[in-house]
Amino acid sequence: MPAIPCALIRGGTSRGAYFQAEDLPEDPAGRDALLARIMGGPDALQVDGIGGGHPLTSKVAVIAPPTRQPADVDYLFLQVDPARQTVSDAQNCGNLLAGVGVFAIERGLVPARDGETTVCVHMVNTGALCRLVLRTPDRRLEVAGDTAIDGVPGTAAPIVCNYLDIAGSSCGALLPTGHAVDEIDGVAVTCVDNGMPVVVLRAADLGLEGAESPEALDGDEPLKERLESIRLQAGPRMRLGDVAAQSVPKMCLVSPPRRGGLVTTRTFIPHVCHRSIGVLGAVSTATACLLPEAPAASLADAPDGNPKALDVEHPSGSFQVRMRLGPDGSVTEAGVVRTARLLFSGTAIA
Ligand code: NQM
């Protein structure tokens, strides 16, 4: 009965189990089988494990010494699908990423400095880097603060996440099909990867208003079939191959903003509708809204100025992405603010 040191951390609007690679089997198949068992499946509720019965609470972060300069730690993200019990490393998670800073400091992997501590994270899934800045007065991690993020109750200390090189993270190019607009099953879509592979399409093109509740969308089987058909065709075009068993690309339905932001979103990740929106999913979607020919641009309300603060509206509020554009209109910098909290530290029993 293996007992493995583990921390449960809320990272942004997700919750995950964090492990050090040295505590897990080296071979990926053995590691994944063990993690699937710990999270508890195959069972949509994950009642026999520590997963939360939803893709957003069935996530794992594996932390290891850095293999890329100038990173402080390596972070491998694994998505455990509760019902199917598959374990996928095909995507990043920008929410658990915020918790990596907490884990690294709490475990002493990165020494806290007086004031602020920067933790540079190598996101092993895609090879990209992110610089996290955490508050550490007196070399202690500050937990309390006044930063609120929609989708999480209360407030906490901010964690600034500055992505260094995320364009084409999984697909090799920002626009992996070579176009800002493609047509799949008669619907105009943008296949984009600015940190997360996402197919962005107008809700109206599928007969939706775009502000339906996640519950209503989850219950709309014909819609989900249409989205899956588009997704399965988009996968190979996005250089992701057969994506039937993959958690990417995500499917983001966009419509005009309702609350003065950039755009309204409803995102399937990819078979369940997100209660808010993923971090890198939001960065990719915001990017699609800035491409003049993209279907999303026709309904987005992008502010002037550079850098831009882009409020991506989602079912539980909005999510601010900060972007700087180069002279040719390409995104040269992207960043977000998240919060994270250590919830539990102990041993997981497999
Ligand atoms: O897009 C959900 C989440 C995510 C991933 C998903 C994420 C991101 O909300 O960077 O954070 O899209 O599967 O945690």
Side-chain angles (χ1 to χ4, degrees):
M1 211 173 46
I4 299 137
C6 169
L8 272 184
I9 300 178
R10 175 187 63 76
T13 49
S14 283
R15 191 178 72 216
Y18 290 65
F19 299 89
Q20 282 186 244
E22 63 186 32
D23 296 323
L24 293 171
E26 252 178 57
D27 81 293
R31 177 200 66 203
D32 291 354
L34 180 75
L35 291 172
R37 168 103 188 94
I38 288 173
M39 299 306 277
D43 164 32
L45 272 185
Q46 293 180 316
V47 71
D48 195 34
I50 64 172
H54 190 279
L56 297 177
T57 50
S58 180
K59 301 188 161 201
V60 170
V62 180
I63 310 304
T67 54
R68 177 180 171 188
Q69 289 301 321
D72 297 303
V73 289
D74 271 13
Y75 153 52
L76 173 71
F77 170 68
L78 297 170
Q79 177 72 58
V80 181
D81 184 309
R84 306 172 191 208
Q85 212 183 12
T86 50
V87 179
S88 167
D89 65 0
Q91 70 167 87
N92 259 332
C93 175
N95 273 309
L96 285 209
L97 173 63
V100 173
V102 172
F103 186 81
I105 292 174
E106 290 291 349
R107 287 285 198 269
L109 306 175
V110 174
R113 302 165 69 98
D114 188 13
E116 277 184 353
T117 301
T118 297
V119 179
C120 185
V121 182
H122 170 210
M123 298 184 270
V124 177
N125 304 72
T126 57
L129 294 170
C130 180
R131 208 166 264 143
L132 305 173
V133 185
L134 297 95
R135 288 197 187 157
T136 50
D138 300 325
R139 296 175 189 271
R140 296 170 74 105
L141 187 64
E142 191 163 84
V143 178
D146 55 12
T147 300
I149 57 174
D150 288 329
V152 179
T155 61
I159 298 174
V160 177
C161 315
N162 291 313
Y163 304 106
L164 304 186
D165 53 354
I166 50 173
S169 63
S170 299
C171 305
L174 181 75
L175 296 173
T177 68
H179 317 285
V181 54
D182 288 281
E183 197 178 301
I184 304 181
D185 285 350
V187 179
V189 304
T190 300
C191 299
V192 59
D193 173 10
N194 202 12
M196 179 68 72
V198 183
V199 178
V200 182
L201 62 174
R202 286 183 294 230
D205 291 344
L206 295 177
L208 298 167
E209 285 192 1
E212 290 81 359
S213 70
E215 292 76 13
L217 295 172
D218 276 338
D220 188 341
E221 290 303 329
L223 168 71
K224 291 205 292 189
E225 272 168 35
R226 262 190 103 181
L227 285 176
E228 187 63 0
S229 166
I230 295 173
R231 196 180 82 84
L232 293 177
Q233 295 172 67
R237 295 198 198 184
M238 296 176 80
R239 312 181 199 169
L240 293 167
D242 177 2
V243 294
Q246 287 190 41
S247 57
V248 286
K250 312 291 177 185
M251 303 298 291
C252 186
L253 301 166
V254 294
S255 62
R258 306 309 200 268
R259 296 184 296 271
L262 174 73
V263 73
T264 300
T265 62
R266 295 292 182 268
T267 310
F268 280 80
I269 58 170
H271 303 119
V272 174
C273 185
H274 205 303
R275 269 42 192 166
S276 51
I277 189 168
V279 176
L280 294 160
V283 175
S284 286
T285 302
T287 304
C289 291
L290 300 182
L291 302 169
E293 297 154 48
S298 63
L299 42 81
D301 190 6
D304 295 332
N306 198 16
K308 294 179 187 301
L310 304 168
D311 288 317
V312 178
E313 299 182 9
H314 56 66
S316 30
S318 69
F319 182 103
Q320 192 168 93
V321 177
R322 299 185 74 79
M323 276 189 191
R324 187 184 295 277
L325 305 186
D328 61 349
S330 62
V331 178
T332 55
E333 279 174 40
V336 300
V337 175
R338 301 272 80 192
T339 64
R341 191 165 83 85
L342 176 65
L343 305 172
F344 168 85
S345 187
T347 50
I349 312 294

